[in-house]
Amino acid sequence: MSRLNYQAARFLTSAPTLAQCPADTGAEVAFAGRSNAGKSSAINVLTRQKALARTSKTPGRTQLINFFTLGDDTELRLVDLPGYGYAKVPDSVKLEWQRHLADYLQRRISLRGLVLLMDVRHPLTEFDQTMLGWADEQDMPVHILLTKADKLKSGAAKNALQQVRSQLREWEDLVSIQLFSALKKQGIEEVHARLDDWLLSEAPTS
């Protein structure tokens, strides 16, 4: 049973750059993933809301850093980072997104952890590796959701999980991994437990 009420999540604000983000106090957990990884669907299922995070038939629509509070407590936040990869935008815009993502991950003091979503059928893309590299530089814990697990048979999904685990063995002190399906509502309690741990933890001392 989750200690926090994720169903009370509500939209706070959107920011195009780190400088325009809300005050860097309290604790927040960010969600990142390629534009087709099912990030918005996962956030909606985790908060039991149909449209908290916008889902789109055109991947890559999320071009801002979107903040959600847990009820009226603006000190606890979920953050939806810009999707990356499939958006039909110029490369210069994609590079700008990437720069803002790097800024946020490297400089946001209230960030306690990163939920990185990967399609279980196409894990560890170049973008995923970049995100893991940034997290490693900051000693930032990462919880990987292998999404769309319902698209594979149980044995194949478990094999994919083991393969990703073995490829990330060198990061096992920083990275945890699970299977997830927004459609089948698989893995929700495990994610909630991880979010609880991060959001309710004491701020690390520098």
Side-chain angles (χ1 to χ4, degrees), residues 38 41-43 45 147-150 180-186 188:
S41 297
I43 292 172
V45 166
T147 62
K148 307 184 184 182
D150 55 279
F180 186 85
S181 167
L183 184 67
K184 301 290 186 183
K185 297 180 170 56
Q186 173 190 350
I188 291 174

Side-chain angles (χ1 to χ4, degrees), residues 84-176:
Y84 184 83
Y86 277 93
K88 293 178 180 176
V89 296
D91 285 345
S92 60
V93 175
K94 289 186 182 179
L95 288 171
E96 188 74 358
W97 289 359
Q98 198 162 5
R99 187 173 66 78
H100 292 316
L101 273 176
D103 261 359
Y104 172 82
L105 290 168
Q106 292 167 346
R107 296 167 56 191
R108 189 75 173 165
I109 295 167
S110 55
L111 183 62
R112 296 282 188 274
L114 177 70
V115 178
L116 182 57
L117 295 92
M118 308 177 189
D119 187 322
V120 68
R121 300 163 299 177
H122 314 289
L124 295 173
T125 63
E126 184 180 354
F127 167 75
D128 299 328
Q129 303 276 8
T130 298
M131 297 298 285
L132 286 166
W134 285 336
D136 188 40
E137 285 174 16
Q138 301 304 309
D139 210 23
M140 174 70 58
V142 179
H143 189 57
I144 293 173
L145 303 189
L146 296 178
T147 62
K148 307 184 184 182
D150 55 279
K151 301 285 189 186
L152 297 178
K153 291 184 178 177
S154 177
K158 287 175 183 171
N159 283 342
L161 177 65
Q162 290 306 323
Q163 284 179 2
V164 174
R165 275 205 177 117
S166 66
Q167 285 177 272
L168 297 179
R169 190 164 288 133
E170 64 183 292
W171 284 331
E172 62 186 355
D173 58 329
L174 205 63
V175 176
S176 51

Side-chain angles (χ1 to χ4, degrees), residues 9-50:
R10 60 182 179 80
F11 176 74
L12 176 63
T13 190
S14 294
T17 66
L18 180 69
Q20 290 164 283
C21 289
D24 196 359
T25 60
E28 62 195 33
V29 172
F31 289 72
R34 278 179 67 95
S35 301
N36 62 336
K39 179 163 54 70
S40 296
S41 297
I43 292 172
N44 289 339
V45 166
L46 289 167
T47 58
R48 295 185 176 89
Q49 298 185 42
K50 289 185 177 177

Side-chain angles (χ1 to χ4, degrees), residues 10 12 22-23 25-28 69-77:
R10 60 182 179 80
L12 176 63
T25 60
E28 62 195 33
T69 63
L70 296 185
D72 294 325
D73 186 356
T74 57
E75 291 295 284
L76 296 177
R77 298 174 299 274

